[in-house]
Amino acid sequence: MRINVTRGALPTTPVENSPPKITKPKTVAAGIPAVYSTLKHGLKKMGTISSIRNFNRVNKFNGFDCPGCAWPDPASRSIAEFCENGAKAIADESTKNRANPDFWSKWTVKELSEKPDFWLNNQGRITHPMVLHEGEEKYQAIDWNGAFQIIADKLAGLSNPDQALFYTSGRTSNEAAFLWQLLARSFGTNNLPDCSNMCHESSGVALNQSIGIGKGTVKLEDFSKSDLIIVIGQNPGTNHPRMLSTLRDAKLAGASVISINPLVEAGMGRFKHPQKPLDILGRGSKIADEHLIVDVNGDQALFRGFSKYLISNKSIDEKFIQEFTTGFEEYSTIVEETSWSQIESNCGIDKDSICRVASYIANSKSIICCWAMGLTQHKNSVSTIQEITNFCLLRGNIGRPGAGLCPVRGHSNVQGDRTVGINHDPPQYLLDGLLREFGVPAPENIGSDAVESVIDMISGSAKVFLSMGGNFLSAMSDSVKTAEALKHCELTVQISTKPNRSHLVTGKTALILPCLGRTEIDESEIGLQFVTVENSMGVVHSSVGHARPASHHLMSETSIVAGIGHALQMTGRGNEEIDWKSLGQDNDLVRSKIEKVIPGFNDFNIKCRVDGGFYLPNPPRDGRVFETETNKANFISSKLNSISISEGRYCMMTIRSHDQYNTTIYGLDDRYRGISKGRRVVLMNIQDMEEEGFHESEIVDIPSHFNGRIIKSQSWFVVPYDIPRRNVATYFPESNVLIPIESVAEGSNTPTSKSVEVSIAKSSELP
Ligand SMILES: Nc1nc2c(c(=O)[nH]1)N[C@H]1C(S)=C(S)[C@@H](COP(=O)(O)OP(=O)(O)OC[C@H]3O[C@@H](n4cnc5c(=O)[nH]c(N)nc54)[C@H](O)[C@@H]3O)O[C@H]1N2
Ligand SMILES: Nc1nc2c(c(=O)[nH]1)N[C@H]1C(S)=C(S)[C@@H](COP(=O)(O)OP(=O)(O)OC[C@H]3O[C@@H](n4cnc5c(=O)[nH]c(N)nc54)[C@H](O)[C@@H]3O)O[C@H]1N2
Ligand SMILES: [Mo]
């Protein structure tokens, strides 16, 4: 048997040997420290001139879409419409460092895997296509045609199209994503796992069943018309900083804000707008009027409590319920049957506090509910999000100004990717459209999602893994199993900008295909190209890069997909009708195809050239039309089903620090939480620490427990933190190793990254 050389490569970043520095968490977000951090990251990585050029073009008409998050742009944009963390994302892409063939020739993949994730990312932009041949220990440069040929030959050699997996990360443009799914489906498979499977899949599944669309129902302008904005399981100060400006403006217009979170996050305290001088110097604006400190995984119970109050006090909109919904009777029965004691024990908040807030809710005319990963990555996520939808339906808080549901997306185009066809379980109109426009017949089977892909690779039923962006190994749960899965493959291919761990734990043969980033000029043989993206509120708009590409060997994502498609066609295995050559050169042509296949894109090429872009249709938002099986909005009744944690164990959530973008680690500080110079920390309630006999920075081991399986991880530093008892928090992706691949949300199959049953033990061996 041949040896896979990456077999010895580390699947996770190495452990840290020195303890972090711990100070008091901050109560104010942004302000001068954010301006300082923006400049520091910009100047250090890009240099002065590029910093000014790039920061000036972000989120502007004819500029590029900030790769930081999917929060929409306001109609009147300020001189610098971005935030500290958006600036870090831009600086990171525009770095002067280069991971060129010299760099790759210095290190074996095993040696690289022994470096921390932080170091890997800092090596800079990948400049050339690279190949790791079977049996070799180092990557070497390869020309583009050679790389495409390897992929085409491997794909053509598969006995069944479902042996290939086409992963997508949500930074990919609409045009590249559309071509990517066309490539997969023309090859004959729906195997299109994506980062959304680990992210907002639970929101999509829940909302589709409840209101007939897997997206939110508010526009940005609704925030200033709202009386009450509830922010649930979200840390906007770090992950959606521009949302804080929206919340601040909504408050100035009279709204109240409630944050529901086990942690009091700095952004939800006070906020100093970094682009408003008076704000910077003053005390800033208070954002949350109320923090409800819910236990991890307690939201379903909490919202059940709100509904119980509203129904028993008849604070409901009977006319709306009658006209637009079904299932109310059943829901009110199940609500009535749920006891207050069960609600209190599941969410960790007492009845009086729930009723006090509910009475406030009863007096608020228009309510928006926003949420992110704190809600979507639990076993009961789908039913929790449906409970929140039920709560909104009770008072008709949907499809009218200032009210609605707002799942806040993460990656800047994750919503658009799904719209244009990145979906392992595609809608019929998409399949019909592909047949009509390209003569591509529907693939035989429903595809695999992210978790199923890991299982397919381990079992050998998938042999080729192709990745459009992202870092599958580090982003997925159960890092060791995911590594085993990738190592089982014949070929792994990563279309990337920067080095990451998925380049180091690979199949027998591995390719890295370096692509242009958002900020860069995309010039094809027929002229300058731009792409489009869809933000969290369904607005599609253009993104135009202006910077000189990091290397003249880079190709755009669209031309890479077309290159693979064309090479596959040459083997006789691809669909003959698709004109890959033209599609790879001409994004207008791709957009004209999107227009013909996906509803809502009429006059796409005209509308995407208008400043601000255009809204995709959204029936619940636009006209209280619910395209469900019942043609109504459905109250969906579920039993309360929070996870139960055994005596002596903890419920662990895995969260982001202020210095990371998902698996890309910019630095070792989490400024708002007062933790610096280290990421291998476990945040613990001080009373739990005392009970366990732990001191600050004590080194502990963490075993996770799931259905009899125990996974151990060593060397974590204990940090005392204001977190509910029996809850702990660690950073993603270091702790992904502890999340069992089998532990998923019911209905959406999303890894339960926010509720992992763990115990915490004194370390058996000191470093
Ligand atoms: N700078 C930066 N920006 C980003 C990203 C990044 O990594 N860095 N990632 C992008 C992506 S892809 C995404 S999806 C978003 C993620 O944005 P967030 O969802 O804000 O990210 P997380 O750090 O996972 O934060 C989850 C929040 O939920 C809380 N929480 C955890 N469990 C529960 C629970 O059971 N109930 C409640 N009510 N709260 C809970 C945590 O305390 C934390 O505040 O951000 C996007 N933007
Ligand atoms: N435990 C735990 N796990 C989680 C989460 C969690 O909260 N807890 N969150 C989950 C969520 S919400 C998400 S979205 C996933 C994220 O999963 P992914 O999207 O797979 O991961 P990223 O870290 O965003 O991907 C980073 C890599 O993308 C590449 N890249 C950057 N820009 C570009 C570009 O413009 N084009 C291309 N082709 N490549 C580019 C770079 O090489 C970089 O190393 O992780 C999930 N995993
Ligand atoms: Mo995400």
Side-chain angles (χ1 to χ4, degrees), residues 148 151-152 155 179-180 182-183 186 558-575 578-581:
F148 294 148
I151 301 171
L155 286 175
L179 292 188
W180 191 236
L182 179 63
L183 176 67
S186 63
T558 43
S559 56
I560 294 174
V561 188
I564 300 172
H566 179 72
L568 189 60
Q569 236 168 16
M570 294 293 105
T571 66
R573 201 42 208 272
N575 176 296
I578 303 171
D579 181 0
W580 286 112
K581 281 240 144 117

Side-chain angles (χ1 to χ4, degrees), residues 167 169 171 411 471 475 495 498 500 557 654 663 736 754:
Y167 176 71
S169 164
R171 201 183 274 199
H411 262 303
N471 180 3
I495 301 172
K498 309 274 300 280
N500 66 45
E557 290 177 345
T654 61
T663 69
N736 285 40
K754 296 287 186 279

Side-chain angles (χ1 to χ4, degrees), residues 198 451 473 475-480 482 736-737 739-741 743 751 753:
M198 318 168 199
V451 165
L473 168 63
M476 260 309 280
S477 50
D478 218 329
S479 316
V480 172
T482 301
N736 285 40
V737 66
I739 308 168
I741 193 79
S743 180
S753 306

